[in-house]
């Protein structure tokens, strides 16, 4: 089951500068976490129930650094919260979606995550995310 939009991922050049912008909007940063496996540093906010993750690449070859170089800062991905990520990945695969991750990895906050290629989702990088609530 798809439960909700788990979060919106926003690619930024400089995490501290981006935090200032989002705090000026009236949100409060809750946590800053580095995820070496994804080569990102992330700052987590909540706007009501909606989680927002600012993402800064930590290496030149980070997917986020490459995105910012090529397309500039902005919305990087949308994550759908699901209850059984392996089952969802299997369904998407059967329906012809191009999976970036065939098996889930561990992402921000210890969630199980997997990405689906934007070329098969109408230009949107989609993340599936299963987390303990
Ligand atoms: N949203 C929409 N389109 C995107 C995109 C994004 N985030 N990133 C790349 N694209 C587009 C590119 O513009 C390109 O389109 P064109 O061919 O029309 O120019 C196409 O997808 C392929 O891009 P590419 O530059 O050839 O491929 P990359 O080497 O940049 O890889 C992607 C793109 C999506 C496969 C790679 O970024 C990836 O594997 N992402 C998943 C992991 C990830 O993003 N981790 C960081 C976040 C981690 C977290 O939140 O925990």
């Amino acid at each position: 089951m798809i439960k909700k939009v788990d979060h919106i991922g926003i690619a930024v050049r400089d995490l501290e500068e981006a935090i200032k912008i989002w705090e000026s909007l009236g949100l409060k940063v809750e946590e800053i976490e580095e995820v070496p496996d994804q080569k990102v540093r992330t700052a987590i906010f909540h706007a009501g129930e909606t989680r927002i993750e600012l993402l800064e690449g930590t290496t030149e070859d980070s997917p986020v650094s490459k995105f910012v170089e090529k397309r500039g800062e902005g919305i990087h991905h949308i994550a759908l919260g699901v209850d059984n990520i392996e089952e969802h990945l299997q369904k998407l695969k059967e329906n012809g979606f191009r999976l970036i991750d065939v098996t889930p990895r561990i992402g921000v906050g210890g969630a199980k995550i997997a990405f689906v290629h934007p070329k098969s989702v109408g230009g949107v990088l989609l993340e599936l995310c299963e987390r303990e609530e």
Side-chain angles (χ1 to χ4, degrees), residues 39-57:
K39 300 174 178 165
V40 294
R41 224 159 50 91
T42 178
I44 295 153
F45 295 80
H46 275 90
E49 288 192 354
T50 305
R51 182 178 161 109
I52 296 171
E53 293 183 2
L54 303 183
L55 302 158
E56 175 196 73

Side-chain angles (χ1 to χ4, degrees), residues 7 9 35 38 40 53 55 62-64 66-67 70-71 75-77 98 100-101 107-108 113 115-119 123-125 127:
H7 66 267
V35 185
Q38 293 290 341
V40 294
E53 293 183 2
L55 302 158
S62 158
V64 170
K66 284 165 74 179
F67 176 91
K70 201 167 169 184
R71 299 165 63 118
I75 293 180
H76 179 259
H77 66 266
R98 188 166 146 197
I100 294 172
D101 301 301
V108 181
I113 62 168
F115 285 91
V116 184
H117 202 284
K119 288 288 176 200
V124 176
L125 175 60
E127 178 184 333

Side-chain angles (χ1 to χ4, degrees), residues 76-111:
H76 179 259
H77 66 266
I78 292 188
L80 296 178
V82 297
D83 57 354
N84 183 333
I85 193 165
E86 286 84 0
E87 193 180 292
H88 273 273
L89 281 172
Q90 185 56 34
K91 262 191 224 155
L92 292 187
K93 193 174 168 194
E94 283 164 15
N95 290 338
F97 285 92
R98 188 166 146 197
L99 304 185
I100 294 172
D101 301 301
V102 179
T103 52
R105 298 158 172 259
I106 299 302
V108 181

Side-chain angles (χ1 to χ4, degrees), residues 3-4 6 13-14 19-21 23 32 34 38 45 50 52 62-63 65 74 94 118 126 130 132:
K3 299 200 284 190
K4 60 179 181 181
D6 183 88
R13 235 178 248 287
D14 181 322
I19 288 171
K20 280 188 209 156
I21 294 172
E23 291 207 319
I32 296 179
E34 183 160 348
Q38 293 290 341
F45 295 80
T50 305
I52 296 171
S62 158
S65 308
E94 283 164 15
L126 183 72
E130 179 184 340
E132 310 257 326

